[in-house]
Amino acid sequence: MFRSRRWGLVRRLWRQRCASTHCGLSARGQSEGPEETLNALKASAHNLFKKLRDDELELLVRVLASRGSWDAGCIWCPRAELWVGKQTVAPHVLLCRLYRWPDLRHAWELKRLCFCEAFWRRGSEGGSLCCNPYHYSRLCSPETPPPGSSKASTADSSKLQTYESSHSGLRHHHRNDTTISRNTINDGYWCKIAYWEHRARVGCLYAVHEPSIQIFSDLPKGNGFCLGHLGIGARSDTVRRTRGKIGQGLLLSQEQDGVWAYNRSEHPIFVNAPTLTSSSQRNLAVHKVLPGYSMKVFDADRSPAHRSPFSAGDGPCDPDSARISFAKGWGPRYSRQFITSCPCWLEILLNRPG
């Protein structure tokens, strides 16, 4: 008897799971071996697949094949939790564990992304839940950064920012660029983005009016701010190699609690901003955000504490800004001590009443 198209889709979905998924799950129950856990996982996954229509299964196959580069819609499923061995797991957690993060444990480790339809429903989905694994990211917070992150020490960070102030010319540039003056911020944008290669700004400031913006290397990797359109003269080999790592880049979104950056690329990004640093510190920390993770790069609740100029003995630093470097970190734990030594980086200048 010929096997059905639906059976073929289910078989493809099971084959596309992360190779180490069963290893990550076996750590949850010491009494179960890897094969037992894998069998329980397979039964739960197939139980979930039964609840999806054929077109939803096909959509999930396409989403996984593109690794999130294809902007697909929501995949709705019942909210009911599924049994994996002796434990229950939410449907979206199960699929995120299957196809993205085998070590994922809890739903609170995830953040729904702003392009998910359910994000705007604010909990009014009823009995349905979006289980598209690429509509979620893993949370990265300054207090609990993912493995491999680094924070600059006070003394070294002071040296770092003093160097940037005296050599990069960024402060001078800001004072003379009237397009970001707080006296002329009534044209509807919520931030402007400057793209830099080492110490040279490339292209004009990019004003963002929509709630979110994708920043990526070349078409057709997204819709938004395409860095590949920005021309410059001769580029160094280091810049060219780093630009090749930007790929899908990042998603920057303005949300109720602040501004979030989601790393869509296959390489880490590095972030520093005044609101990522505690009020007791005078120097900005640098945080590593791994692929698939999100971090709040501007905390609206903490912003008032940073209204006064933030400095490290080198003059003021805009309290409503953030800096993001692609692929290359900077600071005492990296070969590059200063962000102006990073090949490709962004400056996010928020439009807030001052």
Side-chain angles (χ1 to χ4, degrees), residues 285-318:
V286 178
H287 302 271
K288 183 178 183 179
V289 183
L290 297 177
Y293 277 74
S294 285
M295 172 175 272
K296 189 192 299 184
V297 299
F298 177 80
D299 191 332
D301 292 335
R302 297 186 61 190
S303 179
H306 293 282
R307 279 300 174 194
S308 59
F310 198 95
S311 66
D314 63 334
C317 173
D318 189 346

Side-chain angles (χ1 to χ4, degrees), residues 65-96:
S66 72
R67 301 183 67 181
S69 62
W70 178 55
D71 294 333
C74 292
I75 300 173
W76 299 101
C77 67
R79 280 184 172 274
E81 293 197 338
L82 303 162
W83 284 95
V84 179
K86 299 178 181 179
Q87 300 184 10
T88 59
V89 62
H92 67 295
V93 175
L94 175 63
L95 291 188
C96 285

Side-chain angles (χ1 to χ4, degrees), residues 47-157:
N47 187 26
L48 175 57
F49 296 153
K50 289 178 183 178
K51 300 177 181 180
L52 301 179
R53 303 189 309 269
D54 287 4
D55 59 327
E56 292 174 322
L57 289 174
E58 187 168 7
L59 177 60
L60 183 56
V61 169
R62 294 178 63 188
V63 166
L64 298 174
S66 72
R67 301 183 67 181
S69 62
W70 178 55
D71 294 333
C74 292
I75 300 173
W76 299 101
C77 67
R79 280 184 172 274
E81 293 197 338
L82 303 162
W83 284 95
V84 179
K86 299 178 181 179
Q87 300 184 10
T88 59
V89 62
H92 67 295
V93 175
L94 175 63
L95 291 188
C96 285
R97 186 184 292 166
L98 271 174
Y99 298 112
R100 299 195 68 186
W101 307 289
D103 63 336
L104 182 67
R105 295 288 181 267
H106 307 287
W108 52 260
E109 298 177 55
L110 297 173
K111 180 187 184 302
R112 197 192 304 267
L113 296 169
C114 64
F115 51 75
C116 178
E117 182 182 340
F119 176 88
W120 302 102
R121 295 189 181 185
R122 301 296 181 187
S124 60
E125 301 98 323
S128 299
L129 175 75
C130 175
C131 61
N132 184 334
Y134 284 94
H135 280 196
Y136 295 88
S137 66
R138 290 193 77 168
L139 276 172
C140 173
S141 68
E143 291 75 22
T144 56
S149 66
S150 68
K151 297 184 179 182
S153 65
T154 301
D156 289 331
S157 181

Side-chain angles (χ1 to χ4, degrees), residues 7 17 44 46 56 107 141 157 185 190 208 224 267 287 304 326 345:
W7 183 90
R17 72 190 187 281
S44 300
H46 280 68
E56 292 174 322
S141 68
S157 181
I185 60 173
W190 62 268
V208 181
H267 299 271
H287 302 271
F326 293 105
W345 57 282

